[in-house]
Amino acid sequence: MRMGPAELVQAAAMARRFYLEGKSKIQIAEEFGVSRFKVARVLETALERDLVRIEIRVPAELDAERSDALRARYGLRHAVVVESPAEASEESPDPENLGEVAADLLGELVNEGDVLGLAWGRSTIHMAAALDRLPPCTVVQLTGVYDAGTAERGSVEAVRRAAQVSGGDAHPIYAPMLLPDAATAAALRNQTGIARAFEYFDKVTVACVSIGSWEAGISTVHDMLSDEERGHYASLGVAAEMSAHLFDSEGRRVGRDLGERCITVKTDQLRRVPEVVAIAGGQRKAAAIDAVLRSGLVTSLVTDTAAADYLMTAGPTPKPALNRADPDGI
């Protein structure tokens, strides 16, 4: 039915009160001397007749539709999809702006008194460099460094940076991520400074991790191993690496013996962390991201549109991540 001028004016006034001034339907009904049910009908008609247009806007770099779809598909608590750079190709590494967006996300997720854990990864290093706000919290390093000689430019510096922004204590780990054998790794874990950091692993409330594909230049662990070792783990079906833990395409852990040689948080400890944020993107990492998400260890993801498009059609629908179930049943 056609609305007359009086109806149009009244509908516009009610819509202004409701959408712009934030008044309730009851308040509007009292002002205009009608029932709240009529107010509801008028507001509905205003939408149907295009008298009111509702526009949802987010920053241009964020893809809200893909973000929500990805969150629902994997049962994540948060999924934030960032537009891939126009010049990105299949060979491109993680876009650096993922770290910037992840820094803003951590500003939302971390509360005063939390223990923030940071694992090694180029994305987490970019994230730490972009941090400009964090409530007072303790910051602990969750893995050793890729190369002890570059610790100042890597995860140690990331931990220091996050602690500086938050004003909290920092607990870095001055040790390589991968050691020659399990005995050497065990001895390092017992050293005072490293043992002190390990004591915080069970207290971590928010963790930030990176994901790597099992190929040169994309997995730091892959790059640290010999050709023979790489071949051995490849034969086990490894598809992804996170914090020195290996996963097959179904999210099951493989090559558990490698963990005995590494300075890193355990997977069962990560599974108990309330919020585990993974930062990873790009076409080259898409399959690896899918594998790690299927492990149930990650609760939130910051990625890009290139990876998100793959993830939305990757294999059967995975189990919701928030049940934190271990796919190995262990």
Side-chain angles (χ1 to χ4, degrees), residues 203-249:
K203 303 174 185 177
V204 173
T205 50
V206 180
C208 191
V209 300
S210 294
I211 295 172
S213 299
W214 194 244
E215 54 183 301
I218 304 186
S219 165
T220 51
V221 174
H222 177 281
D223 291 346
M224 287 188 283
L225 296 173
S226 67
D227 289 340
E228 182 179 354
E229 290 171 322
R230 292 170 190 158
H232 165 66
Y233 291 117
S235 71
L236 300 179
V238 59
E241 175 262 316
M242 180 184 71
S243 303
H245 299 294
L246 310 181
F247 303 86
D248 68 11
S249 60

Side-chain angles (χ1 to χ4, degrees), residues 71-76 293 296 298 317-325:
R71 177 200 58 76
R73 174 172 168 78
Y74 285 90
L76 298 168
L293 291 181
V298 171
T317 302
K319 295 178 181 179
L322 294 184
N323 65 21
R324 313 304 294 280

Side-chain angles (χ1 to χ4, degrees), residues 7-243:
E7 291 176 308
L8 286 169
V9 170
Q10 184 184 68
M14 288 183 176
R16 177 176 295 278
R17 303 292 194 278
F18 186 74
Y19 291 108
L20 299 183
E21 298 176 11
K23 291 187 176 181
S24 70
K25 293 175 184 176
I26 294 177
Q27 289 174 314
I28 297 170
E30 291 175 351
E31 178 182 348
F32 287 88
V34 298
S35 71
R36 62 185 177 89
F37 300 106
K38 179 173 181 179
V39 173
R41 287 197 301 271
V42 170
L43 292 175
E44 184 178 348
T45 301
L47 284 171
E48 292 174 350
R49 301 295 176 85
D50 213 21
L51 187 63
V52 173
R53 296 182 183 180
I54 297 176
E55 186 175 12
I56 300 173
R57 290 186 177 183
V58 295
E61 67 174 357
L62 300 182
D63 191 311
E65 186 175 347
R66 282 186 175 93
S67 297
D68 188 56
L70 198 60
R71 177 200 58 76
R73 174 172 168 78
Y74 285 90
L76 298 168
R77 185 170 291 116
H78 304 284
V80 182
V81 177
V82 180
E83 288 288 345
S84 301
E87 67 277 8
S89 68
E90 187 174 344
E91 302 303 311
S92 298
D94 290 338
E96 291 192 17
N97 61 342
L98 292 186
E100 297 170 3
V101 174
D104 287 340
L105 179 60
L106 281 190
E108 294 182 60
L109 299 180
V110 177
N111 297 307
E112 183 173 351
D114 276 350
V115 177
L116 172 61
L118 300 181
W120 158 264
R122 296 179 184 90
S123 296
T124 54
I125 292 170
H126 290 151
M127 180 278 300
L131 281 171
D132 58 10
R133 63 184 177 99
L134 271 181
C137 64
T138 299
V139 186
V140 61
Q141 192 170 324
L142 296 179
T143 62
V145 297
Y146 173 50
D147 180 348
T150 62
E152 292 301 313
R153 301 190 300 275
S155 44
V156 169
E157 181 55 31
V159 169
R160 286 177 171 171
R161 168 64 183 168
Q164 180 184 37
V165 172
S166 74
D169 294 332
H171 295 277
I173 294 178
Y174 295 95
M177 181 188 295
L178 179 66
L179 282 304
D181 52 64
T184 304
L188 275 178
R189 292 190 199 103
N190 290 325
Q191 288 189 358
T192 303
I194 298 174
R196 188 177 298 117
F198 268 57
E199 289 174 358
Y200 279 91
F201 285 4
D202 288 325
K203 303 174 185 177
V204 173
T205 50
V206 180
C208 191
V209 300
S210 294
I211 295 172
S213 299
W214 194 244
E215 54 183 301
I218 304 186
S219 165
T220 51
V221 174
H222 177 281
D223 291 346
M224 287 188 283
L225 296 173
S226 67
D227 289 340
E228 182 179 354
E229 290 171 322
R230 292 170 190 158
H232 165 66
Y233 291 117
S235 71
L236 300 179
V238 59
E241 175 262 316
M242 180 184 71
S243 303

